[in-house]
Amino acid sequence: MKQILRLAFFSSIILSACTHQKPQDESQLRHFNLMPIDSIQIPFLGNPNLQDISPSNEKILFIESGPNDEEIFITNFNGEILNSFVTNGNTIVGHLRRIAPLHFDEDGNSFLSFGSPQIKRVSLDGKTVEIILTGIPPYYSSSPSPTNEIIVRDNKIFYNSRSEDENYNRYQKEYLKNLKLIGYLDLDKKETTTFLPFPEESIYQNGLIFPHSSWVSHFIFPQNQLLVAFEGEPALYVFDGKEPFSFRQKIDLNLGDFRAYKGHSEGEEGIDFMEAMITLGNIQSIKKLGEYVLIGYKRGFTNDQLRIWETASTPIERRELITKFEKENPKRFLLLNEDLEFLDDFPNPQFLNISSLMAREGYLWGSKYNPNIEEDCFTIYKLEIQEK
């Protein structure tokens, strides 16, 4: 009976209908790939997490997290480790408590740690620390990666925020209506500002309740625009690139059989947080490279996969199913042109960790993805978008 009820509940999750259409004429279709054109191999045995790359300074920044501390590594493009140091409560650097990935300063001689409650500038040897600001509120990020990287522009640091009205919690319908989703730190004034509530056109303004994993935002600043995508909604929102960041338009995205959650009423039992992260579709990355906008996403489980998922009774069975379903239904990229018009939709290369993808100095960069094999080197790819 419990299984029937859970399947009935999942039937309330809809496959989105989108209006961002592909060309009708097959002769107009163009096909693209994300292709590696170079790679860097760093001898390393462990679980590295890529943070940033500075091509002009030929430096790579990655981190390995442990139960009580984190170790920072800086390497060159020959794969040689230049510096490494541990961060915890007993070191000069202290706990970082990152809510975004580490970010090289322009000169490549230090990096920014955007954490809660402190934003720090740290030298590459870990011996010099400047506290830029104290007072950043906590923000959910289970493993900060380039999918939610900070953006430095106009002497401001833009970051994912969750400025909420303390009168409401996430189980009340007023909660989402009062959120502000992006913030910036003015480096001249040393002041923070939060902005960007959900647009009226967003599904998150429908008065229903959604799991937090559904409405995390990803954003970029191409040209004179601010482009924002929310993880669980197959749409792209366009705003002015300057304050007050006025809303321009909503573009529905054709993401195929994207499994979107339509929300539940206040007081009702909704989808479990972890179930949402595992089974639902979500937008995971948005990057601008030259004339292209690249949106990385997963469609979520199919109906058949959900039925099989509901029969799994042990953690081992579920882990095996996740691996199986990822192969059957891999993550994908939607490619748009500068006018945000459809160009192509193609699967993420199996070798690439989509959450590591970043645009730096005219190219995309990302780390190798092979969770089932422990390797003795950490591989970084230099990639470009190529038309077939």
Side-chain angles (χ1 to χ4, degrees):
M1 184 65 175
K2 181 178 179 182
Q3 179 176 324
I4 295 174
L5 288 173
R6 294 189 71 176
L7 286 172
F9 168 74
F10 274 114
S11 70
S12 69
I13 300 172
I14 60 172
L15 298 180
S16 62
C18 304
T19 59
H20 193 281
Q21 299 297 327
K22 301 178 182 179
Q24 296 293 321
D25 187 351
E26 289 290 330
S27 65
Q28 297 179 16
L29 291 175
R30 300 165 63 189
H31 298 287
F32 297 80
N33 267 336
L34 191 57
M35 298 294 295
I37 58 173
D38 202 354
S39 65
I40 301 166
Q41 291 192 330
I42 304 165
F44 189 85
L45 183 63
N47 295 293
N49 186 343
L50 181 63
Q51 299 290 288
D52 199 9
I53 293 174
S54 176
S56 59
N57 296 296
E58 295 193 349
K59 291 176 181 176
I60 297 169
L61 181 61
F62 69 91
I63 195 167
E64 184 175 43
S65 298
N68 300 310
D69 52 32
E70 295 179 310
E71 189 166 6
I72 311 296
F73 295 86
I74 299 93
T75 78
N76 60 24
F77 273 27
N78 294 322
E80 300 166 330
I81 294 178
L82 303 176
N83 287 301
S84 68
F85 54 90
V86 172
T87 69
N88 58 39
N90 298 316
T91 65
I92 295 174
V93 178
H95 288 295
L96 297 181
R97 297 188 175 93
R98 297 168 297 126
I99 60 175
L102 305 178
H103 184 88
F104 275 122
D105 279 320
E106 188 174 353
D107 62 7
N109 293 323
S110 56
F111 63 83
L112 287 172
S113 169
F114 201 97
S116 176
Q118 293 182 328
I119 302 172
K120 303 175 182 179
R121 176 172 282 113
V122 183
S123 63
L124 297 191
D125 58 9
K127 295 180 180 179
T128 304
V129 179
E130 174 193 358
I131 297 177
I132 298 174
L133 185 77
T134 298
I136 296 295
Y139 177 81
Y140 167 81
S141 184
S142 59
S143 181
S145 67
T147 60
N148 65 321
E149 64 181 333
I150 59 175
I151 295 177
V152 182
R153 66 192 303 267
D154 301 330
N155 214 32
K156 297 180 176 71
I157 302 175
F158 288 82
Y159 58 95
N160 271 312
S161 178
R162 191 182 67 198
S163 178
E164 54 194 13
D165 188 327
E166 295 180 355
N167 295 313
Y168 306 107
N169 63 53
R170 67 181 62 180
Y171 305 105
Q172 295 175 288
K173 62 183 180 181
E174 293 87 355
Y175 179 77
L176 291 180
K177 292 180 179 292
N178 289 277
L179 276 181
K180 293 182 180 178
L181 300 156
I182 299 178
Y184 68 78
L185 165 64
D186 188 314
L187 290 170
D188 292 324
K189 299 178 181 178
K190 297 294 191 293
E191 294 176 353
T192 60
T193 300
T194 55
F195 66 100
L196 203 119
F198 287 111
E200 289 298 324
E201 293 79 0
S202 172
I203 189 175
Y204 301 112
Q205 286 280 18
N206 67 7
L208 298 177
I209 311 299
F210 292 82
H212 179 274
S213 58
S214 174
W215 48 259
V216 172
S217 62
H218 303 286
F219 63 92
I220 55 174
F221 282 95
Q223 300 173 331
N224 297 316
Q225 298 176 325
L226 167 62
L227 302 183
V228 183
F230 306 116
E231 284 206 357
E233 183 175 13
L236 189 62
Y237 288 92
V238 185
F239 302 85
D240 288 337
K242 299 287 186 181
E243 290 187 88
F245 306 105
S246 300
F247 173 71
R248 291 186 184 179
Q249 65 172 321
K250 173 186 178 181
I251 300 174
D252 291 310
L253 302 175
N254 189 332
L255 302 184
D257 295 333
F258 187 91
R259 184 168 289 277
Y261 186 60
K262 64 180 181 180
H264 60 274
S265 298
E266 183 178 327
E268 292 183 357
E269 182 179 357
I271 187 170
D272 175 77
F273 175 81
M274 290 304 298
E275 291 280 316
M277 290 187 66
I278 294 169
T279 66
L280 294 180
N282 59 57
I283 294 176
Q284 300 185 341
S285 176
I286 176 170
K287 304 297 175 186
K288 177 72 164 64
L289 183 69
E291 61 186 290
Y292 304 116
V293 173
L294 189 68
I295 299 173
Y297 72 98
K298 71 169 185 175
R299 289 176 172 169
F301 287 4
T302 65
N303 289 334
D304 288 342
Q305 288 172 341
L306 269 179
R307 293 187 186 96
I308 296 172
W309 177 256
E310 288 300 312
T311 65
S313 58
T314 67
I316 293 177
E317 286 181 284
R318 292 203 158 194
R319 282 196 297 270
E320 291 174 349
L321 285 177
I322 290 172
T323 301
K324 178 175 183 290
F325 294 162
E326 283 180 348
K327 292 180 180 178
E328 294 174 353
N329 196 11
K331 297 175 182 179
R332 304 184 66 84
F333 286 110
L334 176 71
L335 185 66
L336 309 178
N337 63 20
E338 286 186 304
D339 296 322
L340 306 179
E341 298 168 331
F342 176 89
L343 288 176
D344 198 9
D345 186 294
F346 53 89
N348 176 50
Q350 290 187 354
F351 61 80
L352 181 64
N353 180 358
I354 195 171
S355 68
S356 71
L357 198 64
M358 64 184 76
R360 296 289 185 272
E361 300 179 25
Y363 293 94
L364 292 166
W365 302 78
S367 59
K368 187 174 183 179
Y369 177 71
N370 196 347
N372 299 317
I373 299 177
E374 186 176 49
E375 300 183 342
D376 58 4
C377 67
F378 182 35
T379 302
I380 310 295
Y381 293 106
K382 179 181 181 180
L383 307 116
E384 66 180 12
I385 298 168
Q386 295 182 357
E387 187 166 4
K388 295 181 181 178

